[in-house]
Amino acid sequence: MVSHASNKLCDPCNSILDKIRHVDWHTDLIHHHSLSTLEESAETGCGVCVVLLEHLQGSAFRKVPDLWDKLFPIKCESDTSSASWQTSFELKLTSGGVEDLSLTFTFELINESKDIESGYIPSSTTDSPQSWGLVGQWLKQCTGGHQRCNAPIPAPWAPTRLLDIGTPGNEYIRLVEQDEDLFSNQPYATVSHCWGRTRLITTRMSNIYSHCKKIPYQELPKSFKDAIRIARYFQLRYLWIDSLCIVQDSWEDWAREAALMSNVYRYAYINIAVTGAAEATEGCFWERHPQAVKPTEFSVQWDKCEETESKRYQVVPDHHIWAQKLFNEPLNQRSWVLQERILAPRVLHFSHEQLFWECREFTACETYYRGLPTSLQDNRLINIKTLSLSEESKDDRWPAKYVSTDVNTNATLMGRAWGAFTALFRPIILQEVTLRSTMKSASVYQDWDAVVEMYSLTSLTRQCDKLVAISGLAMAVSIDESNSPGDGYLAGLWQSSLPSHLLWTTATTEMVRNRRQEIKFPRRYPQEYIAPSWSWASIDGKVSLMWCQRNYDPKEYLATLEDAKVWHNGQRFGEVKSGYIKLSGPLASVLWEADEHPSLASPMAATITHIFPSHLGPHLSAPIPPNATTKSEILFDERVEQAPETLMLLPIIGTMKRVAHENETVAGLVLQREAGTESYSRIGFFFTTRPRACKILRNMARQSVHII
């Protein structure tokens, strides 16, 4: 009997499968000889060929001259030496004529879930009995067996306002306020949506009284009407929608509700995400081709295998490619939605192509309705609910001011033991946070870094919301373990991670905005103050924390943190008025030379040509001749028309050679003195592996540097 629940491999893929079922290392196999055969295979729904064709038609290959002439034949390789007794094996596609093509597919054994019925067949719309039935199964599995998703609320809590969407037979809609006691301890759903350009119905000072009586159903946009229908399907009476539950023309109300946002989503029953809609008028449900949603499955009878039965596998694309199916949707380009996805116990995404389910213990979609394959689960863009940021927030008792003292890393063993004992009875000092932090919740900090990198890829309507839109997560991270004070939060950075987390970098990126591909260059917010220059939050664009996450030894720190302070407009996880950090380290002046052909990833790059002390002129500079390892050393945060002829470098980290193949490296901040002051601002990041440059930078006189 032929199953209609999945797509099949095409003839060229089956031919390759017939070869690689003989366990061995297979190379130089031919996949497709021409574009026409590839298109024919994609038309049949073959999961390998569909992804390959879409990948080749994407923006990454648009600039390859004569792409289709050079591309074929497409080759593949696969190591099946141990595939017969492992849970997965891989197939890699390449091209001899196009170097950039390297696409890996994982073929994973199908794990039949006892909780989800097998044989789900998607229909031509996400609004179908099949779709609703699958959602019901996901919800039943979550509410019936997931401990993390059903953790009890510590104390009764409800939002300030909710929409009462009525009960069966009495389906009126009105705004209700907390003091009515109508919805105390009642479950409610939240809605994540794009406002778009269409003017929405909102609650304002002029109509809040009438909204508390009745909100005309016909005035609601389609996305809101669909969300109401979905909430009623879940048998919920209450719904939270930002535009209706926050008074939009009251700054006081907005500021108060923004501070409560983390609880609004954390304590909701479910978050309804209108993921595929760029406008509120578009709604939650979409037509689609069922074949594009079905998984591709196949069976293999391994040669020379003791087992006589064939094994069934599913095709899983490269996780970076699959991640874009959800991340490139309009809603997930919106900065606010990131914390909404993480904090809510469960999220149901209504995307263009299919439904996605996210909860704290399970992630699935219509293609992989039994649960995401293992090879996709490690990608944070896909499996965002694995981040450890949605637990209850702890008390914040981190001291606001510090007194810096020296940390003696060369003390004797007895001296260090005595120091560790006496440390229990004296105040925390800032350098100890920097150099000796045990990072007891290191996984939380790593998850925060992942959030920052994802968050930097999203966009905001109001620039001043940069830190506000992530404040709920910041509150969740601010921890207070037993006998340990909570960490300090400094405009998107954590006190205990400094100064290493000042080593973020920026990058140019290709993104999808409103379903169109575009290149975005990082820049500092030009119109209003968002954050100090040393914070990643001062950048509108992609940020990478790669250099921040390395496990540096205390002896490798060339700079220490002496003081740090941030002033806020209101709550301390929100808008920032100003801030500074004070670092002590070797400060150097350098002359530089711009790279003629910087990589696309870096907006502007340069190499160091001369180094000299900051209090002397360039006539006494030491030349740094190029060598075989010379490459871009100075990475500017943004493209600038006229960068200063002389730059200031503040080394933060100096790593030594640990093994033969490693290089000595010095990395730090590129600074510019603020006119008429003794303060500096950050304009970039640098790293060098040239021994002469490393030696000179390490031995520069130490100075206290005030960075704003």
Side-chain angles (χ1 to χ4, degrees), residues 49 77 108 134 152 254 265 270 370 431 537 567 577 629 672-673 679 686:
C49 297
E77 62 181 60
E108 289 196 15
L134 183 61
W254 188 91
Y265 286 93
I270 193 169
R370 305 178 186 93
Q431 285 188 4
W567 289 267
K577 289 195 297 184
T629 64
Q672 176 178 275
R673 188 190 292 272
S679 298
F686 84 90

Side-chain angles (χ1 to χ4, degrees), residues 242-287:
D242 52 4
S243 58
L244 292 172
C245 294
I246 300 175
V247 182
Q248 297 300 313
D249 58 351
S250 169
W251 187 90
E252 292 81 5
D253 193 76
W254 188 91
R256 182 182 67 250
E257 294 304 305
L260 297 173
M261 202 73 73
S262 61
N263 284 347
V264 169
Y265 286 93
R266 182 184 288 117
Y267 298 143
Y269 179 77
I270 193 169
N271 183 40
I272 300 166
V274 194
T275 308
E279 299 282 343
T281 56
E282 294 179 303
C284 295
F285 305 106
W286 298 87
E287 301 290 325

Side-chain angles (χ1 to χ4, degrees), residues 19 97 104 141 154 184 228 243 378 403 407 409 416 423 460 463 495 542 562 571 578 603 608 679:
K19 294 182 176 69
T104 301
Q141 175 179 290
S184 296
I228 290 171
S243 58
D378 290 336
V403 176
V407 177
T409 57
R416 288 197 298 270
L460 286 160
Q463 297 176 353
Q495 194 96 40
K542 182 180 179 180
E562 294 185 337
Q571 60 120 346
S578 63
I608 300 167
S679 298

Side-chain angles (χ1 to χ4, degrees), residues 361-577:
E361 296 189 24
F362 181 73
T363 306
C365 60
E366 289 182 82
T367 299
Y368 303 115
Y369 57 89
R370 305 178 186 93
L372 279 189
T374 303
S375 60
L376 297 180
Q377 292 180 12
D378 290 336
N379 188 295
R380 298 284 174 78
L381 288 176
I382 304 171
N383 205 12
I384 197 172
K385 298 295 287 182
T386 59
L387 298 175
S388 304
L389 299 175
S390 56
E391 310 304 328
E392 296 308 311
S393 57
K394 318 300 190 296
D395 292 337
D396 172 23
R397 293 188 285 114
W398 193 258
K401 276 287 194 179
Y402 301 84
V403 176
S404 176
T405 63
D406 290 332
V407 177
N408 185 1
T409 57
N410 297 316
T412 63
L413 178 62
M414 183 63 71
R416 288 197 298 270
W418 176 251
F421 175 75
T422 57
L424 298 174
F425 305 99
R426 57 183 171 79
I428 296 171
I429 57 177
L430 193 131
Q431 285 188 4
E432 289 179 350
V433 174
T434 301
L435 300 180
R436 294 183 176 177
S437 171
T438 56
M439 300 292 277
K440 294 178 181 177
S441 294
S443 63
V444 175
Y445 288 93
Q446 291 168 8
D447 288 348
W448 175 262
D449 290 351
V451 165
V452 167
E453 292 188 346
M454 284 187 283
Y455 186 69
S456 71
L457 296 172
T458 61
S459 60
L460 286 160
T461 302
R462 288 167 21 112
Q463 297 176 353
C464 60
D465 288 343
K466 182 78 173 191
L467 288 166
V468 181
I470 205 171
S471 61
L473 291 176
M475 282 188 266
V477 173
S478 183
I479 56 174
D480 176 23
E481 298 178 355
S482 58
N483 300 321
S484 175
D487 204 343
Y489 184 67
L490 298 167
L493 287 83
W494 297 100
Q495 194 96 40
S496 62
S497 70
L498 298 180
S500 64
H501 270 60
L502 298 172
L503 300 179
W504 49 267
T505 58
T506 65
T508 302
T509 184
E510 291 185 291
M511 307 191 70
V512 175
R513 299 287 190 201
N514 296 322
R515 301 165 199 151
R516 291 187 302 178
Q517 199 84 17
E518 65 179 47
I519 295 177
K520 182 173 182 178
F521 293 94
R523 60 168 191 162
R524 279 204 158 76
Y525 289 100
Q527 298 175 346
E528 54 186 311
Y529 184 89
I530 303 298
S533 67
W534 42 265
S535 168
W536 58 263
S538 66
I539 296 294
D540 177 19
K542 182 180 179 180
V543 171
S544 170
L545 276 66
M546 178 186 68
W547 281 87
C548 308
Q549 297 164 339
R550 303 185 182 185
N551 187 25
Y552 298 114
D553 187 275
K555 295 179 181 179
E556 294 179 325
Y557 282 87
L558 300 178
T560 53
L561 190 62
E562 294 185 337
D563 198 6
K565 186 71 175 177
V566 170
W567 289 267
H568 297 86
N569 287 321
Q571 60 120 346
R572 78 181 199 86
F573 294 101
E575 288 186 41
V576 168
K577 289 195 297 184

Side-chain angles (χ1 to χ4, degrees), residues 632-684:
S632 297
E633 295 172 315
I634 294 173
L635 306 178
F636 291 92
D637 293 336
E638 60 180 339
R639 293 190 298 180
V640 290
E641 293 292 333
Q642 292 183 330
E645 183 180 348
T646 300
L647 298 174
M648 310 298 292
L649 302 187
L650 178 64
I652 301 292
I653 295 292
T655 63
M656 303 299 291
K657 292 183 67 170
R658 300 178 186 178
V659 293
H661 67 272
E662 285 186 346
N663 292 317
E664 177 184 1
T665 304
V666 172
L669 305 183
V670 182
L671 305 175
Q672 176 178 275
R673 188 190 292 272
E674 290 293 301
T677 73
E678 294 299 315
S679 298
Y680 294 83
S681 60
R682 170 185 162 138
I683 61 172

